[in-house]
Amino acid sequence: MQSYSARRLGAGQLLPYVALLITWAMVHASLIVFRELPVLESGLAGPDSYMRMLRVTELYQHWNWFDITIDRANAPYGDTLHWTRPFDLLILLVALPASFGMDFETAIYLSGIIVSPLLQLTTAFALVWAMRPLIRPEAWFLPAVAFFLQPGALAYSVVGRADHHTLLMLVFVLTAGFALRALQNPLDARPAAYAGAFAGFGVWLSTEFLLVLLICVTALGLPWLAGERERAAQSKWFALTVSCILLIALFVERPLERFLEASYDRVSVVQFLVCVCILLFWRVAESYENRAGTSSRPFGRLLLGLFGAASAVLLVNSAYPLFFVGPMAEVDPRILPIWLDRVLEMRPLVPSDMDSLGRFIFYFGTGILAVPVFAAVLVQERRSGGFWTMSLVALACLLLWPVAVKHIRFSGYAEIAFVMALAVVFDRFLQWTHGVGNDLVRGLLRGSAITVLLLGPLTVGMNLMAKPLADKDAAGQSLSACSVREVATFLETDPRWAGSQQTILTFLDIGPELLYRTRHAVIGTPYHRNGDGIYDSHRMLATSDPAEARGMMAQRGIDLVLLCLGSAERIFFTAHNTGASVEDGLYQRLSEGRPPAWLTEIDLPAPLSRQARLFSVQR
């Protein structure tokens, strides 16, 4: 298969890049207008964005690098986050130029609004570079535009969403780009080393990136099994740079007294040990190839590979057995049925009815169209020099698709793999249409293919999905949550609450925005490490025993109870009601205006009084 990596882009090809930039801007402008993103109302998108900005602001104010505790969450005990520092630092760096025209905290806020769309644009250009070993330069435009339209990746990249997943997707593309170049030439270790460095940085950002690491290790290892002896040394350099980056991460993220502390949801000695095992295996494999020379055989490599994999699994399992459970290994089991199993990012995308089939096509339609054709192309290339290069894309689709079906949060990774497969398929299609003699027919064929590939899955998926619910439920209650910004303004300006910190019991998803906008403390936040806060906040408002609720509130020092009356909030406090019926739960009583004697309802301003209820706890 021909490599196109050496081709250079001329000045006349600047126009497509400008068109890509305009397409990116139009996508985000349309989302702001038609999806009513809160950025026009001085808001961010989602609770994670508010918590991230709170974390970055506190880092700027105090520069306590190793302090990952949010003191006002899980009040009065505080809560630690599993996030790492690189994305925090990126937000500060993006804010730096803007700080010359405004105060730095305002610049940080502006950075949080624009950082994810900027990362998405950077990822699109990185994707153009990454795919050069597989496609001709003139075929890059459609895959780049297709990336902008992938729902899972786009959801993390909207204006106002400060989320490290956009950085992870950029690192994924860069890792894949260098790995593709490494697979082109087994004698060149530099691309493998660069791929390892980015893979290590991805694990530093999030331990979920171990999936990408596995794909790269497998893609580099398969040609070694097939007889390319030089791949052992190449893989050694890949594993060495991964290990070096993770060692740096340990020093950057952890004080010395906690250097050897194990974590499964955050970079630690656990992930470092795994990568060192990979490094040791490839060093042994390199020695085996050097000693055996040309007499080494695939069967011997297979035995060595099986022995190495078994040894690594036994070693890691003996030291850190929870590693194989996954990043959520240490999650409080009490919060699984009441919260984690219901989190949208953790939900599966298995088709079971018309609505779920629509969602499946909406998220994975590009893969449905491209992967089967790509598989046929891969079979055709099985004896060519480009087979191993294309096998990386095949492995990415094969591994990431099932994971994304199980947990929607991984859909962005799978969609990038699908776009890579789409790029190969589209390039082959363009080459085929060159043989069509009639210009009109050729134009119609290309236009139809582009329309189907770009808009087909989105159109079919949206038409199959159930229509949005009305803004009122069967009882006539509003399904729209209150304006947390207005609640925060009231709490910060009303003299009863403005003078001192109050501890507020409210829904998990509201907690981060209240923490960001006010000086007050909350109990629950939507993060798996806050098991006690999630469970206690649910128990206090779901219980049908007012005495139990009052005792727990006194123990936590709760001053105010806030109901935002959104549909997700109702489900959280009334489903899995720990023995209480929906009608008997404290949340239900408060939402209906029937509080116990020790809770006094606070009169809210007219706009808020129709959206929320606020109660003061009498001690």
Side-chain angles (χ1 to χ4, degrees), residues 149-232:
L149 300 179
Q150 300 304 305
L154 182 59
Y156 287 111
S157 307
V158 296
V159 177
R161 183 157 188 176
D163 197 302
H164 65 279
H165 282 85
T166 49
L167 181 56
L168 280 168
M169 285 185 276
L170 172 60
V171 175
F172 175 33
V173 171
L174 292 172
T175 303
F178 281 114
L180 288 171
R181 283 155 176 79
L183 287 165
Q184 283 185 297
N185 182 5
L187 299 177
D188 189 359
R190 288 173 300 174
Y194 293 140
F198 278 106
F201 183 62
V203 177
W204 181 351
L205 285 170
S206 174
T207 55
E208 70 186 38
F209 208 80
L210 287 168
L211 284 170
V212 178
L213 179 66
L214 175 61
I215 291 170
C216 292
V217 170
T218 306
L220 291 171
L222 286 177
W224 171 73
L225 283 175
E228 296 186 5
R229 300 171 50 247
E230 300 83 2
R231 295 292 182 186

Side-chain angles (χ1 to χ4, degrees), residues 8-201:
R8 294 287 183 258
L9 300 177
Q13 291 181 295
L14 179 63
L15 186 60
Y17 288 94
V18 175
L20 184 66
L21 181 63
I22 294 173
T23 303
W24 167 80
M26 290 177 60
V27 167
H28 287 283
S30 63
L31 287 174
I32 293 174
V33 174
F34 297 110
R35 293 294 302 272
E36 299 180 355
L37 295 178
V39 66
L40 296 178
E41 301 174 359
S42 300
L44 298 169
D48 285 3
S49 300
Y50 287 105
M51 187 62 84
R52 177 67 73 172
M53 299 311 297
L54 173 66
R55 172 185 164 98
V56 174
T57 303
E58 289 186 349
L59 176 63
Y60 166 71
Q61 291 172 342
H62 307 296
W63 283 107
N64 193 344
W65 182 266
F66 294 116
D67 184 8
I68 58 173
T69 301
I70 305 298
D71 294 326
R72 292 183 290 127
N74 190 33
Y77 312 113
D79 183 39
T80 61
L81 293 172
H82 63 287
W83 297 335
T84 52
R85 286 298 188 191
F87 191 66
D88 298 344
L89 191 60
L90 176 63
I91 292 175
L92 291 173
L93 290 175
V94 173
L96 190 60
S99 66
F100 292 105
M102 62 188 72
D103 66 273
F104 203 85
E105 290 193 15
T106 304
I108 291 174
Y109 179 76
L110 178 62
S111 174
I113 290 176
I114 65 173
V115 65
S116 288
L118 290 178
L119 283 170
Q120 185 199 38
L121 179 62
T122 306
T123 304
F125 285 114
L127 187 64
V128 174
W129 165 82
M131 292 305 296
R132 284 184 186 177
L134 292 179
I135 64 174
R136 296 170 303 150
E138 57 264 32
W140 65 264
F141 187 74
L142 177 72
V145 172
F147 169 69
F148 289 148
L149 300 179
Q150 300 304 305
L154 182 59
Y156 287 111
S157 307
V158 296
V159 177
R161 183 157 188 176
D163 197 302
H164 65 279
H165 282 85
T166 49
L167 181 56
L168 280 168
M169 285 185 276
L170 172 60
V171 175
F172 175 33
V173 171
L174 292 172
T175 303
F178 281 114
L180 288 171
R181 283 155 176 79
L183 287 165
Q184 283 185 297
N185 182 5
L187 299 177
D188 189 359
R190 288 173 300 174
Y194 293 140
F198 278 106
F201 183 62

Side-chain angles (χ1 to χ4, degrees), residues 372-413:
V373 182
F374 176 79
V377 174
L378 184 66
V379 172
Q380 292 177 355
E381 295 285 339
R382 64 188 181 276
R383 291 186 176 87
S384 73
F387 174 78
W388 294 119
T389 310
M390 294 181 63
S391 68
L392 174 66
V393 179
L395 283 169
C397 294
L398 186 65
L399 179 61
L400 294 172
W401 196 344
V403 176
V405 169
K406 185 176 181 180
H407 297 301
I408 192 174
R409 65 178 288 122
F410 292 96
S411 59
Y413 296 103

Side-chain angles (χ1 to χ4, degrees), residues 565-617:
L565 302 177
S567 58
E569 177 183 284
R570 288 196 185 98
I571 293 172
F572 177 72
F573 288 119
T574 57
H576 298 285
N577 223 1
T578 61
S581 66
V582 172
E583 294 78 11
D584 292 336
L586 181 59
Y587 178 87
Q588 190 70 20
R589 292 181 59 182
L590 295 181
S591 66
E592 294 173 355
R594 299 186 290 113
W598 47 274
L599 285 175
T600 302
E601 186 161 10
I602 306 299
D603 292 331
L604 296 173
L608 274 179
S609 61
R610 294 189 294 270
Q611 308 173 32
R613 290 181 179 274
L614 184 65
F615 300 87
S616 175
V617 180

Side-chain angles (χ1 to χ4, degrees), residues 255-595:
L256 290 179
E257 63 269 18
R258 293 172 45 217
F259 189 81
L260 297 179
E261 182 180 289
S263 296
Y264 300 96
D265 59 355
R266 192 171 190 265
V267 63
S268 69
V269 291
V270 179
Q271 295 77 32
F272 180 68
L273 174 62
V274 172
C275 293
V276 167
C277 287
I278 297 173
L279 173 60
L280 290 175
F281 168 76
W282 285 115
R283 181 65 188 91
V284 171
E286 183 186 30
S287 298
Y288 167 76
E289 294 294 347
N290 290 336
R291 293 189 177 187
T294 57
S295 63
S296 64
R297 294 291 182 266
F299 183 71
R301 296 189 189 97
L302 179 61
L303 288 180
L304 180 61
L306 292 175
F307 177 78
S311 299
V313 168
L314 290 174
L315 176 60
V316 174
N317 186 68
S318 63
Y320 305 107
L322 291 180
F323 170 78
F324 297 100
V325 179
M328 299 294 180
E330 297 179 306
V331 172
D332 188 337
R334 298 176 301 172
I335 68 173
L336 296 178
I338 63 175
W339 172 69
L340 190 58
D341 292 343
R342 294 177 171 270
V343 173
L344 180 61
E345 286 185 339
M346 302 301 291
R347 300 284 294 275
L349 279 169
V350 180
S352 58
D353 53 25
M354 195 63 70
D355 177 67
S356 58
L357 176 61
R359 294 183 187 278
F360 186 86
I361 295 174
F362 185 70
Y363 281 94
F364 302 137
T366 301
I368 294 172
L369 293 175
V371 170
V373 182
F374 176 79
V377 174
L378 184 66
V379 172
Q380 292 177 355
E381 295 285 339
R382 64 188 181 276
R383 291 186 176 87
S384 73
F387 174 78
W388 294 119
T389 310
M390 294 181 63
S391 68
L392 174 66
V393 179
L395 283 169
C397 294
L398 186 65
L399 179 61
L400 294 172
W401 196 344
V403 176
V405 169
K406 185 176 181 180
H407 297 301
I408 192 174
R409 65 178 288 122
F410 292 96
S411 59
Y413 296 103
E415 288 167 346
I416 291 175
F418 297 156
V419 168
M420 290 179 174
L422 174 68
V424 174
V425 171
F426 184 65
D427 184 40
R428 294 304 180 94
F429 174 77
L430 288 182
Q431 294 182 60
W432 175 78
T433 58
H434 282 314
V436 178
N438 189 295
D439 291 343
L440 176 61
V441 174
R442 183 169 59 251
L444 288 174
L445 285 172
R446 291 181 175 180
S448 300
I450 291 172
T451 302
V452 170
L453 291 173
L454 286 182
L455 302 178
L458 299 178
T459 303
V460 174
M462 286 189 293
N463 279 281
L464 289 177
M465 284 190 288
K467 304 302 179 186
L469 297 173
D471 59 356
K472 293 184 179 180
D473 63 15
Q477 294 177 303
S478 173
L479 287 171
S480 301
C482 66
S483 170
V484 183
R485 180 170 59 89
E486 294 181 19
V487 173
T489 301
F490 172 75
L491 292 172
E492 285 292 280
T493 56
D494 192 289
R496 291 171 290 181
W497 328 119
S500 61
Q501 177 178 297
Q502 305 292 307
T503 300
I504 305 170
L505 172 61
T506 189
F507 182 46
L508 311 177
D509 291 349
I510 297 171
E513 187 170 354
L514 284 178
L515 291 175
Y516 180 74
R517 294 188 182 276
T518 73
R519 71 190 71 188
H520 305 305
V522 300
I523 308 300
T525 50
Y527 306 105
H528 61 268
R529 287 192 172 190
N530 190 10
D532 288 337
I534 293 172
Y535 180 79
D536 287 353
S537 61
H538 171 267
R539 180 67 181 171
M540 282 184 273
L541 286 177
T543 182
S544 59
D545 184 355
E548 180 189 16
R550 186 176 190 182
M552 295 182 70
M553 290 185 190
Q555 184 180 11
R556 286 273 189 173
I558 291 173
D559 303 295
L560 300 172
V561 179
L562 171 65
L563 273 60
C564 216
L565 302 177
S567 58
E569 177 183 284
R570 288 196 185 98
I571 293 172
F572 177 72
F573 288 119
T574 57
H576 298 285
N577 223 1
T578 61
S581 66
V582 172
E583 294 78 11
D584 292 336
L586 181 59
Y587 178 87
Q588 190 70 20
R589 292 181 59 182
L590 295 181
S591 66
E592 294 173 355
R594 299 186 290 113

